[in-house]
Amino acid sequence: MKYWWWKIAAIVIFCYVLLAGMLTPLKPGIQSIDNTKGILGEELVVGVTGYNSYFGSALQNRAFLKLSDDKVIETHQITERGDYKADLRFNLPDHLSTGKDVERATLIINNEVDGSLILPNAILLKKEDNTKPSDKQWGQFNVNELFKADRFRFPYRNQLNETIRNTFFHVAIWFAMFILLITALVYSIRYLITKDLLLDTKAAAFTSVAIVYGLIGLATGAVWAKFTWGAFWTADVKLNMAAISVLIYMAYWLLRSSIADVDARGRVSAAYNIFAFVIMIPLIFIIPRLTDSLHPGNGGNPALGGEDLDNTLRMIFYPSIIALSLLGVWMSNLTYRYQILVDNEIEE
Amino acid sequence: MKLKNEQKKVDLHLLNNNWSTQPKLMNVKFILTSFLISLPWLVKAESLDFLRSTGKIYSVVVVILILFILISAYLIRLDRKIRTLEEKNNNES
Amino acid sequence: MGVAIRQFWQLVRKEFALEFRNRVSLGAVLLFVVCAAYICYKVFITINGLAWISLFWIILLFAAINLIQRTFNASYMKRRWNYYTLYDSTVVYLSKYAYNLFFMGLVSVLLMGVMSLFFGNMIKDYPMFLIGLSLGILGMTGVMTFISAVVMRADSNGLLMSILAMPLCLPVLLLSMKVHAVSLRLIQDTAVTGDYLLLGGVDLLIFGIGLLLFPNLWKA
């Protein structure tokens, strides 16, 4: 029990990640709208398609077009067609009162079952030359009047949809890979200090599992990219930097296999491991921040956090990192024990 | 005509024999090459609509499958290496 | 300290004396640069600014690999091993670094001239270009010198040098290409000073970590 409790923990936590990560539904969201242009002073009709929504079952549907907190108009009529479809009708005012002729408005739908469904920058409001005068005015927005639905659900993001769950696997495996690489680095440094060959073997085992994790990260990333960005492989910086770091560690393995003498192999590969890790830091953490990237946290995109990683996601994301790291340690441990057997064989 | 057919049979037989003597390696190589050859078609495939249905949930399933398959592949490789070591030990003792 | 500096100059002088006694290898690298640029010229004929920079750095990268991989040439080191054991490992590393840096500078200036001759001179801001070039060379030489010391210990060092060094050169390469794009006025960047600082930081990091780890490779 003393030696394998963490292996059980890895399995249990990973099962929790799979179950909670796959069974928790997404928050309701607005999947698409059939009209994105509204002319001021006229009636705007928008057909909305919701995702995971309950328009039909809810009794008190309300919808708003919002420019800012004190410039909001409410629908005068909502026609629900089932749980997922609804037609909204707005009587638009004849001015934007910001001095501009064109502005994007946010669409908000609220009912007692779903809470609020928000689609930012949904509708382009435009002033035409022959705008008819209308007595309709922009109103105040009262957040307290809205219904709230605080259930445990993952955030709904357009374009991402259900693939937001990939955070628990794709992002977590990169974190786990990094933890394994740091462990290998520590073993390499300790090897250079103590010259204990077992430490070098350990560093090699951790690196080999980290390479497998890196390949998994690249493959899963390719699938995720296909369904959100449209291509398996893009020119995205972070993707290519990650691919390069996998190459660097594959070269580490090639280097190890090309040196026969055990002591020289240990010293050289430990030195290369430390050197490569130090160079990888600007590669992964600094350069992606300088250039535009599709990944969150780079080139002006919001970092991990905000709406990409809210508290509900965190409750599964962090355990996932722990589970995958423990699995990686377990696999490295097996590789290490195998290598020790092989080395003993050679000595005999 | 008959001769040709018989020759074919013999060839097939030889081929089968070849496969049965070293099945694992051949299988792995075969799967790998066919995967690599089919890669351009896979990448080009436009009929990914099934994976896009119901909020792209099936692409998440694909991601989990890749994770599982690659980790299993690593473990299978390790397992095979340990088995050859065991066999060697048994033969010596 | 004074002893170390004297030893350093002694070693550098020795390296230069040896190099100029047998000019074949240096001449080969210079010829490589000219040939590569000429082949690119015959293939592309005319190129735009971005391709100019990319070609420049790619040719420089391969020239660096060819130039620096013989720094710790195994057979050469074996022959002169007794001589080198007289010196401190840090001094050996520093002298090799300085020596490589000098020839990289020579090669890059030649490449600049050849590229300008074939494809036309596209450099708009010379100080910026030269600072970016020297910072890039500093980093590249640091990586390559260290990797050639790593490869010295390997049994087969044919392709190993390039596969180990190329991915590691990438951060330096990308940063200096960005600075060069600004100096060719291909992109507007007001925060280019930050890029210089970053490039200098990466160079310093590479140099420092190489110096720190080299004794482990040196001890037989």
Side-chain angles (χ1 to χ4, degrees):
Chain A
M1 189 64 194
K2 200 175 161 190
Y3 296 105
W4 44 270
W5 64 267
W6 56 271
K7 298 172 187 171
I8 303 285
I11 296 169
V12 170
I13 297 172
F14 197 68
C15 288
Y16 158 74
V17 168
L18 276 177
L19 286 174
M22 293 307 277
L23 292 179
T24 310
L26 291 190
K27 275 182 188 142
I30 300 171
Q31 197 168 26
S32 63
I33 49 175
D34 62 1
N35 187 2
T36 54
K37 260 184 211 156
I39 295 160
L40 289 171
E42 292 175 16
E43 187 182 46
L44 170 69
V45 183
V46 186
V48 176
T49 310
Y51 189 81
N52 278 1
S53 57
Y54 290 95
F55 297 145
S57 321
L59 297 169
Q60 288 170 287
N61 279 310
R62 299 174 76 190
F64 305 90
L65 266 184
K66 178 181 156 195
L67 288 176
S68 62
D69 277 344
D70 55 348
K71 289 198 194 67
V72 177
I73 45 166
E74 199 176 341
T75 45
H76 62 87
Q77 195 195 341
I78 298 182
T79 326
E80 296 94 359
R81 288 188 278 120
D83 273 342
Y84 301 121
K85 298 233 178 212
D87 287 332
L88 316 175
R89 284 165 188 279
F90 295 94
N91 274 332
L92 295 177
D94 58 358
H95 61 288
L96 284 168
S97 74
T98 49
K100 287 185 211 155
D101 285 347
V102 176
E103 196 144 9
R104 287 189 171 275
T106 301
L107 183 65
I108 300 169
I109 300 174
N110 185 271
N111 64 45
E112 80 276 15
V113 184
D114 297 326
S116 295
L117 288 67
I118 300 166
L119 187 66
N121 301 329
I123 290 169
L124 190 76
L125 296 179
K126 211 174 160 191
K127 193 171 185 168
E128 299 271 285
D129 292 336
N130 51 352
T131 296
K132 282 173 269 176
S134 152
D135 53 357
K136 189 85 180 153
Q137 291 297 325
W138 293 99
Q140 286 281 334
F141 191 55
N142 193 351
V143 183
N144 298 328
E145 277 178 16
L146 297 179
F147 294 106
K148 287 198 181 83
D150 288 330
R151 266 175 289 166
F152 187 79
R153 285 188 285 192
F154 298 140
Y156 176 88
R157 303 290 310 270
N158 269 305
Q159 198 63 31
L160 280 181
N161 297 15
E162 300 278 357
T163 63
I164 200 162
R165 298 169 204 273
N166 282 346
T167 316
F168 314 134
F169 308 105
H170 168 74
V171 186
I173 207 137
W174 285 117
F175 276 70
M177 179 191 100
F178 222 75
I179 289 171
L180 293 181
L181 284 181
I182 290 171
T183 320
L185 177 79
V186 170
Y187 280 127
S188 281
I189 294 171
R190 277 178 60 194
Y191 170 76
L192 286 183
I193 295 167
T194 60
K195 298 283 185 286
D196 179 3
L197 271 173
L198 293 183
L199 291 173
D200 176 56
T201 314
K202 267 189 181 166
F206 273 91
T207 317
S208 68
V209 178
I211 291 172
V212 174
Y213 271 28
L215 291 176
I216 293 173
L218 286 178
T220 54
V223 172
W224 195 2
K226 178 70 190 172
F227 295 102
T228 47
W229 301 338
F232 282 111
W233 196 275
T234 60
D236 182 73
V237 213
K238 209 164 199 176
L239 163 62
N240 287 294
M241 296 301 122
I244 289 288
S245 45
V246 172
L247 280 186
I248 289 176
Y249 279 97
M250 284 180 162
Y252 169 84
W253 266 98
L254 218 70
L255 177 68
R256 279 187 77 83
S257 58
S258 73
I259 305 173
D261 178 41
V262 190
D263 277 309
R265 184 175 66 200
R267 229 157 347 94
V268 169
S269 55
Y272 176 78
N273 190 11
I274 298 167
F275 193 74
F277 189 89
V278 169
I279 291 188
M280 225 175 65
I281 291 169
L283 210 57
I284 290 186
F285 292 107
I286 300 173
I287 292 176
R289 270 160 220 279
L290 296 178
T291 5
D292 288 332
S293 171
L294 297 162
H295 277 95
N298 309 118
N301 288 2
L304 269 184
E307 292 205 14
D308 281 327
L309 189 66
D310 75 347
N311 284 333
T312 54
L313 288 173
R314 264 178 236 271
M315 282 179 67
I316 298 155
F317 177 59
Y318 294 141
S320 178
I321 295 174
I322 295 169
L324 287 172
S325 308
L326 286 179
L327 274 179
V329 172
W330 190 356
M331 280 156 72
S332 321
N333 211 350
L334 291 180
T335 316
Y336 164 71
R337 277 153 62 187
Y338 163 75
Q339 198 58 47
I340 293 294
L341 283 180
V342 173
D343 290 348
N344 287 344
E345 195 97 327
I346 291 166
E347 268 174 32
E348 279 164 18
Chain B
M1 198 62 197
K2 228 180 179 181
L3 201 89
K4 242 185 187 175
N5 264 348
E6 272 199 25
Q7 207 158 5
K8 235 182 200 172
K9 262 183 196 167
V10 171
D11 281 346
L12 263 176
H13 179 68
L14 272 175
L15 202 71
N16 279 339
N17 232 0
N18 208 2
W19 275 79
S20 59
T21 44
Q22 31 167 228
K24 273 176 184 167
L25 198 70
M26 283 295 275
N27 271 333
V28 170
K29 270 187 187 166
F30 175 72
I31 292 166
L32 252 176
T33 14
S34 50
F35 174 73
L36 284 178
I37 290 171
S38 61
L39 204 59
W41 280 274
L42 281 175
V43 170
K44 255 191 165 175
E46 299 292 333
S47 58
L48 295 167
D49 286 338
F50 168 67
L51 294 177
R52 282 203 190 88
S53 62
T54 43
K56 304 174 187 171
I57 186 72
Y58 292 104
S59 72
V60 182
V61 175
V62 171
V63 162
I64 296 171
L65 273 180
I66 288 172
L67 185 110
F68 185 74
I69 287 170
L70 282 176
I71 288 182
S72 319
Y74 183 80
L75 289 176
I76 288 168
R77 207 179 116 248
L78 193 64
D79 185 301
R80 201 179 284 170
K81 272 157 70 179
I82 290 175
R83 192 174 300 149
T84 50
L85 198 71
E86 280 171 351
E87 275 165 13
K88 220 165 89 191
N89 275 354
N90 284 343
N91 287 347
E92 276 169 15
S93 64
Chain C
M1 194 64 201
V3 179
I5 291 170
R6 210 176 57 241
Q7 281 189 340
F8 171 75
W9 282 118
Q10 221 172 336
L11 263 179
V12 172
R13 266 208 305 280
K14 186 85 189 167
E15 299 285 350
F16 275 103
L18 278 172
E19 185 62 56
F20 284 105
R21 197 185 301 159
N22 176 14
R23 267 158 284 178
V24 177
S25 46
L26 177 66
V29 172
L30 294 180
L31 201 61
F32 169 84
V33 166
V34 176
C35 283
Y38 186 69
I39 284 173
C40 290
Y41 166 67
K42 285 308 278 181
V43 172
F44 292 108
I45 306 294
T46 53
I47 52 174
N48 58 16
L50 204 62
W52 199 98
I53 300 170
S54 314
L55 275 182
F56 182 86
W57 280 102
I58 288 169
I59 295 173
L60 199 59
L61 178 72
F62 282 99
I65 289 172
N66 285 327
L67 183 76
I68 298 178
Q69 70 178 347
R70 64 205 168 82
T71 309
F72 294 102
N73 187 301
S75 61
Y76 171 78
M77 292 311 281
K78 213 171 273 172
R79 248 185 294 132
R80 310 188 46 78
W81 188 250
N82 290 333
Y83 175 72
Y84 279 111
T85 44
L86 298 174
Y87 295 94
D88 186 40
S89 59
T90 314
V91 174
V92 174
Y93 185 75
L94 282 176
S95 69
K96 292 282 190 186
Y97 184 81
Y99 168 77
N100 284 336
L101 202 61
F102 175 79
F103 282 108
M104 278 300 290
L106 210 68
V107 166
S108 62
V109 169
L110 178 76
L111 182 60
M112 232 171 91
V114 175
M115 290 283 288
S116 303
L117 177 70
F118 288 147
F119 297 107
N121 191 356
M122 296 191 185
I123 307 163
K124 301 282 191 319
D125 189 338
Y126 274 96
M128 196 181 233
F129 186 90
L130 288 175
I131 293 171
L133 182 63
S134 38
L135 285 176
I137 287 172
L138 267 166
M140 230 151 86
T141 312
V143 171
M144 300 263 186
T145 310
F146 184 80
I147 294 300
S148 74
V150 165
V151 172
M152 164 180 70
R153 294 280 170 221
D155 299 331
S156 66
N157 47 4
L159 269 176
L160 207 54
M161 173 81 188
S162 19
I163 59 158
L164 289 181
M166 269 197 285
L168 289 178
C169 274
L170 203 82
V172 176
L173 216 62
L174 288 177
L175 282 171
S176 21
M177 275 173 72
K178 195 179 173 215
V179 171
H180 272 184
V182 178
S183 76
L184 261 69
R185 299 274 186 272
L186 295 174
I187 49 171
Q188 290 290 325
D189 193 350
T190 45
V192 78
T193 330
D195 287 347
Y196 282 131
L197 286 178
L198 200 63
L199 191 50
V202 171
D203 289 352
L204 216 64
L205 199 71
I206 289 168
F207 180 72
I209 202 81
L211 203 62
L212 202 70
L213 291 171
F214 182 72
N216 290 301
L217 298 170
W218 190 241
K219 276 176 261 159

